[in-house]
Structure formats: C-alpha cells, structure tokens
C-alpha cells in the first residue's frame, strides 16, 4: 500500500506508516482517533502512538508523560501528555488497562518524532471494550479528515 | 474599565449572554476579558483549569489577567529540586506550584502580570497573542523596544527577557499563558531560582535561565495597572468586543462549579512534588568527628516524590554498615520531604532508647539529608 499523498506532502523526519508495507499478518489494520493517535491491536492488546500529522504539529518532543502499568482507563480519559517547545498536549485513551509503556522515551523522547509508528510507540493497553475500535477511523478516512481540517 | 463582578452583575451579564445561571458554560459573546481578584496562585491556576475544561470557546476567546503573591511556579514535567532553592522558600514562606502547561520555572509576585489566552485548538496562535501584547506596550510607550523571539519570549532592548511563555492543548481547547515583568523583586527572583542541590540526575525538562528586567525600570509609567488596562484594550479592539474587564472571584462556586476542588488538587503534595519525573541524587557531605572530617556518601532514587532506594555510606568506625542500613531501610517509601525524614528518624531512635551516641549520629545524618531536600 503506497503512502497517502497528503502524508507525503507533510513528510517530516518520521518513518512512514508501516502496516501493509511490512506485510505483517499478525498486526490488525491500524485505526485512528480524531486526536491523531493511532492504535493497532494484537490478541486484545492495543499499541498506541501518535500520527505523523501530530508529531509534525507538535515539533520536537522533549518529554513524554505516560501512565503507570496497571492504570485502568476509560475512553476519552487523559492518559498522559507530550511536551514540546510548542505546547503540552494531552493524550486520550480507549477503555482498558495499561500493560506496558515505552521506557525508551524517558531518555529519548525524540523517538516520537523520528519513528512515530514504530520505535516511538507510547503505550500498550489491554482493551476492555474492543467495540470502541469500530468508532475510530481507518487510514483512508483519516487521510480525508486531515484534508478537511486543513481547508 | 473595571467592572466588579457582583452577583447582580453576574446574572445580568449571564442573561444578556444567554448562558446557564451556573456559570459561563456555553455561549459567551464574541470574547471575554476576566481579571482575578485573588492573588492565590492555586486559585488562579484553578481558574485556568476550569475555563479549559468547561468553556466552549468556539468563536469566543477569553483573556484572563492574574497576579500572584510571591510564589514559584514550575512547569508540568519539571523537578523543583533542580529548579529552585526549596530551603530558602520554606524559610521565606514562598509557595511552590506546579502548573499543567510545560516550560520552565518562574517567580511570581505582584509586580508580575500573568496573561492567559484561551482559544479553540484551531485558533491556537502564540505569536498572534505576543504581537498583541507588543502592540499594547507600544500604545503606552511608542519608544519601547520589545520584540518576540522564536522561543516566544519577549525581549526588551534586544537582550532582557520580560516575558516567558507556556501552553497547553487539550481535547478541543488550548491556552497560551505568559508572564510580564513590570516591577518584580529581581534580587529575590535570582536567589530563589538558584538551586543549591548537587548531584541530581534527571530526565525532567530543564529551565533556560535568562537575564531579566522590569518594564518599570525602563519607564516609570509602565505600572501593572497601566499595562493590564492597555493589554485588555488591545484585546478588545482586536476581537471587536467591549473593553470591559470583568473581575472574578476564583472561589465562587456559583460562577465556577467545582473550582475549589481543582484548587485543592493543585495544592496536594502528590501533584506538586509527586509528579516530579523519577530522579536520583548522588552526593556526599562531611561530618566532623574527633577533629577530622568524615565523608558520608549518599545515593537516593526517587520516584513519584518517594524514596525508592536509599544508600547512606559512612566510614565503618563511625557508623557500622548494619546500623547505617537501619536508617536506609526506614526511609524507603517515605516522601522526599524534610518533615517525614525527621519523623522517621525519631521513630527509629525510639527503637534504641538508651543509645545516645547512636541517636546523635542518626540525627546528624537526618539533618544533613534534610539539607538536600
């Protein structure tokens, strides 16, 4: 799957959207929130990060504030924040329990910019309500959404 | 023009603006200027939280003017031990607050004006806000050389910082707040913002120290009152709204339902100190013993503001390792806070009631450790 045109136009230092390109049969299709966060699921565990659009808008991330493992979250709860020179931006969750956080971000918060879809993942959540994924956008829908908000 | 926000005015304003009686929740005229009557930093930060969480700012931005009695405000992801002199602050009764936006550490007193520009996420534009402030300053004093930098600082005469900026972006709303130095106590500022604590290793965001100056030093007409009025006037002109500054009481639950809980949360130890990113301290101090100096090494790991690892290493002839370790173990889990350490040391001393020499040594260590908190 080629990269959507709009993302090429926005291309920053972030590595591209990997699903489809890697051909990994184990990862489900990525979904997007309207807050420019992505989530992929595997065996009921969702891995969460921010999109290229978001990392470009934030500029250089200097601090990642992530929840403790074991934290129980509800949909739309603030689960953390990313601080950049531009602002501190809140991160929003789906319902579930935090099972893992990306420890590399403590020493290297810039991974969120450099590799927002891979090494810059933020946290993993055991989803308690997988139906919430149905409310999110597909990659294609997200691309349209970005175009619409830019106009 | 200042309008005291009495209950009568409040209902009139709310009725004109067609908002629910409980507060400003939904529809506000195309802009609003608020000024706090309080100088309590926690109450004023709570107003920011409240507006951010509850107001619909679509097409209706808000400017909030506030000043605080002497306090230090650190950024959301900062380490107060790295940023300021907590011992001095305790001696002088200077409060510490942690704000929800990022950025660096600042000293506030009544000679500093805080400005918060609330907008929707889409309309978030710090440079636009700073240009507005510069226009306001030049309206009062056309000769004044004030410029915004790329870092969103305001510099006077190209070299002195008079304003710093921080921001928060939420679900649908954003705010940009900045300081403005009019007549702040610069000497006190410098001494408070100098951390004496050594050996800290941390990933917390660090401040960028700057040389500052007060606008009043440049021009005696530039008082806080004059500048707040000028900025309000410029904001009103820009947004084409009435130039009315509405005075608000941040403790008024009828205007801001739930605000006192927000103020309480901002004052908790868990928020102010407990939100410090994990850090370690690796340092040493000297103890006088029989006319010679002994070096005591100390290594402490702190997470969520609490001691996770504590290693105090003293020469064996002064304090054997297993006795030192009793003190080490008693501190694990404790808040990194002088009062707790004192209390725990007292409790430990009571487990060996007859041993005055041991008590004395434990107390010496306790005092030295309190000195690095």
């Amino acid at each position: 799957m080629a990269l959507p045109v709009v993302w090429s136009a926005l291309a920053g230092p972030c590595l591209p959207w990997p699903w489809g390109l890697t051909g990994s049969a184990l990862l489900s299709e990525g979904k997007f929130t309207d807050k420019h966060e992505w989530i992929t699921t595997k065996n009921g565990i969702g891995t969460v990060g921010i999109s290229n659009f978001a990392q470009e808008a934030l500029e250089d991330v200097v601090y990642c504030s992530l929840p403790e493992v074991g934290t129980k979250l509800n949909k739309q709860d603030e689960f953390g924040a990313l601080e950049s020179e531009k602002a501190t931006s809140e991160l929003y969750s789906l319902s579930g329990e935090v099972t893992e956080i990306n420890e590399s971000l403590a020493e290297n918060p810039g991974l969120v910019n450099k590799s927002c879809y891979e090494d810059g993942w933020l946290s993993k959540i055991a989803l308690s309500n997988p139906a919430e994924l149905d409310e999110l956008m597909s990659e294609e829908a997200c691309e349209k959404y970005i175009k619409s908000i830019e106009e | 023009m200042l309008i005291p926000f009495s209950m009568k005015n409040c209902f009139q304003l709310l009725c004109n603006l067609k908002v629910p009686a409980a507060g400003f929740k939904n529809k506000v005229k195309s802009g609003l200027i608020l000024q706090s009557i309080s100088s309590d930093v926690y109450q004023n930060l709570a107003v920011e939280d409240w507006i951010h969480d509850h107001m619909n700012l679509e097409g209706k931005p808000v400017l909030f003017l506030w000043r605080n009695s002497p306090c230090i405000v650190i950024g959301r992801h900062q380490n107060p031990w790295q940023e300021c002199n907590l011992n001095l602050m305790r001696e002088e009764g200077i409060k510490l607050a942690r704000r929800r936006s990022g950025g660096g550490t600042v000293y506030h007193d009544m000679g500093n004006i805080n400005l918060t520009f609330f907008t929707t996420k889409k309309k978030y534009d710090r440079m636009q806000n700073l240009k507005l402030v510069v226009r306001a300053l030049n309206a009062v004093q056309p000769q004044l050389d004030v410029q915004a930098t790329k870092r969103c600082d305001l510099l006077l005469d190209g070299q002195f910082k008079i304003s710093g900026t921080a921001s928060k972006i939420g679900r649908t709303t954003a705010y940009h707040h900045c300081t403005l130095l009019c007549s702040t106590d610069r000497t006190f500022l410098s001494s408070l913002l100098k951390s004496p604590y050594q050996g800290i290793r941390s990933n917390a965001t660090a401040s960028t120290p700057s040389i500052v100056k007060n606008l009043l030093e440049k021009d005696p007409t530039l008082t806080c009152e004059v500048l707040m009025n000028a900025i309000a006037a410029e904001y009103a002109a820009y947004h084409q709204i009435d130039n009315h500054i509405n005075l608000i009481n941040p403790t008024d639950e009828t205007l801001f339902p739930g605000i006192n809980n927000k103020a309480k949360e901002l004052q908790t130890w868990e928020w102010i100190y407990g939100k410090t990113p994990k850090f370690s301290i690796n340092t040493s101090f000297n103890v006088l013993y029989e006319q010679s100096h002994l070096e005591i090494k100390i290594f402490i790991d702190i997470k969520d503001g609490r001691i996770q690892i504590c290693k105090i290493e003293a020469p064996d002839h002064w304090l054997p390792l297993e006795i030192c370790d009793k003190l080490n173990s008693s501190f694990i889990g404790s808040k990194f806070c002088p009062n707790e350490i004192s209390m725990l040391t007292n409790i430990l001393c009571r487990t060996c009631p007859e041993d005055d020499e041991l008590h004395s040594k434990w107390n010496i260590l306790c005092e030295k450790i309190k000195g690095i908190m």
Side-chain angles (χ1 to χ4, degrees):
Chain A
M1 191 199 302
L3 279 180
V5 168
V6 65
W7 290 5
S8 304
L10 290 176
C14 176
L15 295 177
W17 180 252
W19 300 286
L21 293 177
T22 61
S24 170
L26 295 171
L27 288 176
S28 74
E29 180 198 325
K31 291 288 202 117
F32 287 80
T33 71
D34 62 352
K35 307 284 172 289
H36 309 291
E37 290 160 14
W38 55 262
I39 182 164
T40 60
T41 49
K42 180 179 164 187
N43 301 328
I45 307 283
T47 303
V48 176
I50 64 165
S51 70
N52 184 44
F53 183 85
Q55 72 79 16
E56 282 216 318
L58 275 177
E59 296 169 18
D60 293 340
V61 175
V62 297
Y63 193 85
C64 302
S65 172
L66 297 173
E68 292 288 318
V69 168
T71 307
K72 289 196 166 66
L73 297 162
N74 291 314
K75 186 180 166 183
Q76 303 281 18
D77 275 356
E78 280 171 22
F79 76 86
L82 297 179
E83 183 176 340
S84 68
E85 192 274 329
K86 195 159 181 190
T88 293
S89 297
E90 302 288 354
L91 296 164
Y92 300 97
S93 182
L94 293 182
S95 305
E97 185 178 315
V98 179
T99 57
E100 204 182 328
I101 59 171
N102 187 347
E103 303 275 3
S104 335
L105 297 178
E107 300 264 338
N108 199 351
L111 280 174
V112 173
N113 298 109
K114 288 191 207 80
S115 177
C116 55
Y117 297 119
E118 295 192 59
D119 301 333
W121 64 275
L122 298 172
S123 63
K124 295 189 197 235
I125 302 181
L127 299 169
S128 57
N129 188 0
E132 287 169 359
L133 289 169
D134 298 336
E135 297 162 27
L136 303 184
M137 292 184 269
S138 66
E139 187 193 337
E140 198 188 316
C142 184
E143 176 196 337
K144 285 193 184 126
Y145 173 67
I146 289 173
K147 266 195 184 133
S148 76
I149 59 177
E150 280 182 325
E151 272 144 27
Chain B
M1 195 205 301
L2 288 173
I3 298 181
F5 223 55
S6 67
M7 287 312 298
K8 183 177 166 216
N9 283 354
C10 167
F11 286 125
Q12 267 183 335
L13 183 69
L14 296 177
C15 291
N16 287 341
L17 304 179
K18 296 182 189 125
V19 296
F24 295 107
K25 261 208 171 148
N26 291 320
K27 294 202 174 185
V28 179
K29 222 160 108 181
S30 53
L32 196 62
I33 304 171
L34 304 177
Q35 182 175 323
S36 177
I37 63 169
S38 167
S39 60
D40 180 295
V41 61
Y42 307 116
Q43 289 176 6
N44 289 327
L45 287 172
V47 172
E48 284 190 326
D49 284 351
W50 194 96
I51 294 175
H52 184 61
D53 291 346
H54 297 299
M55 280 186 77
N56 177 3
L57 297 160
E58 190 66 51
K60 286 124 189 173
V62 173
L63 172 65
F64 175 44
L65 303 163
W66 43 298
R67 289 189 286 164
N68 297 319
S69 53
C71 62
I72 297 278
V73 184
I74 58 174
R76 178 155 170 179
H77 304 123
Q78 293 206 293
N79 179 329
W81 290 276
Q82 269 186 320
E83 298 294 335
C84 50
N85 189 334
L86 293 169
N87 287 331
L88 181 61
M89 286 167 66
R90 285 181 207 117
E91 278 166 39
E92 300 287 335
I94 305 294
K95 292 179 193 171
L96 177 66
R98 180 185 296 270
R99 59 179 186 268
R100 296 193 191 276
S101 57
T105 299
V106 284
Y107 168 71
H108 290 181
D109 64 17
M110 292 302 283
N112 167 69
I113 301 169
N114 298 304
L115 309 163
T116 311
F117 297 85
F118 293 92
T119 58
T120 56
K121 256 166 99 153
K122 266 189 230 166
K123 295 279 185 177
Y124 170 71
D125 189 338
R126 296 170 300 166
M127 270 305 171
Q128 177 183 284
N129 301 333
L130 292 174
K131 283 179 183 162
L132 189 154
V133 174
V134 173
R135 285 198 304 276
L137 293 175
N138 284 136
V140 179
Q141 175 45 275
Q143 314 297 322
L144 207 61
D145 173 11
V146 177
Q147 304 285 335
T149 68
K150 281 191 193 132
R151 271 190 82 240
C152 294
D153 289 343
L154 287 181
L155 292 186
L156 176 66
D157 296 335
Q159 43 176 324
F160 302 108
K161 183 170 173 178
I162 57 165
S163 169
T165 268
S167 315
K168 181 164 177 276
I169 299 179
R171 227 188 300 274
T172 53
T173 60
Y175 63 77
H176 159 218
H177 53 198
C178 60
T179 53
L180 192 61
L181 292 176
C182 295
S183 53
T184 294
D185 183 340
R186 284 204 283 131
T187 315
F188 204 27
L189 180 158
S190 299
S191 59
L192 289 168
L193 293 181
K194 198 176 285 159
S195 165
Y197 308 110
Q198 303 289 316
I200 296 179
R201 216 180 138 254
S202 160
N203 288 325
T205 55
S207 297
T208 306
S210 305
I211 302 174
V212 298
K213 198 168 188 176
N214 283 308
L215 284 165
L216 202 72
E217 291 168 59
K218 183 77 188 173
D219 181 335
T221 63
L222 301 175
T223 63
C224 286
E225 285 73 19
V226 163
L227 293 181
M228 285 192 289
N229 286 332
I231 292 165
E234 190 61 44
Y235 188 86
Y238 184 81
H239 291 286
Q240 296 174 316
I241 60 173
D242 291 338
N243 184 12
H244 290 162
I245 300 177
N246 297 287
L247 296 182
I248 53 120
N249 179 349
T251 61
D252 189 341
E253 287 276 335
T254 53
L255 277 180
F256 307 109
I259 196 169
N260 288 301
N261 278 338
K262 288 188 187 293
K264 273 201 195 112
E265 206 210 314
L266 289 163
Q267 293 177 69
T268 60
W269 188 93
E270 283 67 27
W271 174 256
I272 299 173
Y273 295 98
K275 281 291 182 189
T276 306
K278 69 178 182 191
F279 67 105
S280 61
I281 297 180
N282 196 345
T283 189
S284 62
F285 43 77
N286 287 335
V287 160
L288 190 62
Y289 180 64
E290 292 177 354
Q291 275 138 42
S292 71
H293 284 280
L294 303 177
E295 193 194 33
I296 316 281
K297 287 190 189 152
I298 177 154
F299 178 81
I300 308 183
D301 230 31
I302 299 127
K303 186 171 178 252
D304 300 329
R306 288 182 182 271
I307 296 173
Q308 307 288 304
I309 298 172
C310 183
K311 287 189 196 141
I312 306 165
E313 284 173 16
D316 213 52
H317 66 277
W318 187 73
L319 199 66
L321 187 63
E322 60 273 17
I323 309 292
C324 233
D325 273 348
K326 279 195 176 165
L327 199 64
N328 285 331
S329 321
S330 78
F331 290 161
I332 305 285
S334 154
K335 285 180 182 172
F336 190 62
C337 152
N339 290 342
E340 288 239 335
I341 296 302
S342 283
M343 181 194 67
L344 288 166
T345 308
N346 283 338
I347 291 171
L348 196 63
C349 286
R350 279 190 233 135
T351 66
C352 317
E354 308 287 291
D355 200 334
D356 285 344
E357 198 192 332
L358 181 59
H359 291 183
S360 156
K361 288 177 183 173
W362 272 341
N363 282 324
I364 289 169
L365 288 176
C366 170
E367 286 307 305
K368 291 285 188 182
I369 291 166
K370 280 163 67 177
I372 65 169
M373 291 176 159

